[in-house]
């Protein structure tokens, strides 16, 4: 998972990489993340499945489309697709189809900026408001394999932002997996 500073850096780097590009943001929520690439000159198609977030963004004067990534077509081709803290709400059986749609929505050489919390297991959680939502956690190796099956190969990855696993042993395993799965030219920093 990434903090807000990490997300902003990733979005700024995306904007620098594809100046003037067209980006699909999946699960825009309140839309704060989309502000960064728009301010840098990108055209962002903001989307969300939750009506309250759509209304919030519209109240902010933003154009936002209702999009259910499981059932709807994504459109495209896009220079980039952004899904920050969204895919953990996709049930494991639906994730391969969603990732395949993302890969198909990208133009050749396009970028996929994604952030998910790492871990294992899937649960339904209840917010303080009483609203329940699904949350699936993936290990880095599982998510990387799912990306590869969808057509996003490890060779297509040029930056990894590891976030630590709360133990030295797990951090060592994570570093070993990154070294095994990705070529040396892939940059990693935390």
């Amino acid at each position: 998972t990434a903090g807000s500073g990490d997300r902003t850096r990733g979005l700024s780097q995306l904007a620098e990489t594809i100046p003037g590009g067209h980006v699909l943001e999946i699960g825009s929520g309140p839309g704060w993340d989309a502000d960064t690439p728009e301010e840098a000159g990108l055209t962002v198609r903001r989307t969300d499945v939750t009506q309250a977030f759509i209304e919030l963004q519209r109240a902010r004067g933003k154009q936002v489309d209702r999009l259910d990534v499981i059932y709807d077509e994504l459109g495209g081709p896009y220079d980039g697709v952004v899904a920050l803290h969204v895919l953990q709400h996709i049930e494991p059986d639906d994730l391969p189809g969603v990732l395949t749609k993302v890969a198909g929505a990208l133009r050749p050489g396009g970028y996929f900026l994604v952030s998910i919390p790492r871990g294992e297991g899937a649960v339904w959680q209840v917010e303080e408001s009483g609203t329940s939502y699904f949350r699936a956690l993936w290990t880095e190796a599982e998510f990387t394999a799912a990306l590869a099956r969808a057509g996003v190969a490890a060779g297509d990855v040029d930056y990894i932002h590891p976030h630590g696993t709360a133990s030295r042993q797990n951090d060592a395993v994570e570093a070993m997996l990154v070294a095994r799965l990705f070529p040396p030219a892939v940059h990693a920093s935390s």
Side-chain angles (χ1 to χ4, degrees):
T1 185
S4 63
D6 296 324
R7 288 194 312 267
T8 301
R9 278 190 296 279
L11 290 162
S12 296
Q13 184 176 7
L14 180 66
E16 291 171 12
T17 304
I18 54 171
H22 189 214
V23 174
L24 168 67
E25 183 182 35
I26 297 171
S28 297
W32 313 128
D33 288 335
D35 293 344
T36 299
E38 281 181 345
E39 291 166 1
L42 297 184
T43 301
V44 179
R45 178 183 175 209
R46 298 163 177 251
T47 68
D48 209 287
V49 71
T50 304
Q51 190 61 36
F53 283 135
I54 292 170
E55 291 171 7
L56 175 64
Q57 286 203 59
R58 288 182 179 159
R60 292 181 60 223
K62 304 298 182 180
Q63 170 65 41
V64 59
D65 297 325
R66 179 174 171 72
L67 179 73
D68 184 322
V69 294
I70 296 169
Y71 300 108
D72 298 336
E73 295 301 317
L74 304 184
Y78 299 100
D79 299 303
V81 174
V82 175
L84 301 179
H85 295 279
V86 173
L87 297 184
Q88 71 264 22
H89 301 300
I90 304 293
E91 296 210 30
D93 289 345
D94 293 322
L95 185 65
V98 169
L99 293 176
T100 298
K101 285 182 182 184
V102 167
L106 288 167
R107 68 161 175 75
Y111 294 87
F112 182 32
L113 180 60
V114 60
S115 177
I116 62 167
R118 289 183 315 210
E120 294 180 354
V123 297
W124 280 93
Q125 295 181 323
V126 179
E127 294 179 338
E128 290 180 21
S129 67
T131 304
S132 61
Y133 62 95
F134 182 79
R135 188 165 190 234
L137 301 178
W138 303 85
T139 65
E140 189 165 338
E142 289 171 328
F143 194 73
T144 301
L147 286 170
R149 286 189 298 274
V152 180
D156 296 336
V157 176
D158 62 5
Y159 179 77
I160 299 170
H161 183 84
H163 300 282
T165 60
S167 81
R168 288 180 189 207
Q169 181 180 4
N170 288 345
D171 286 349
V173 170
E174 178 184 57
M176 184 236 358
L177 285 172
V178 168
R180 185 183 308 162
L181 293 170
F182 296 96
V186 174
H187 301 285
S189 68
S190 56

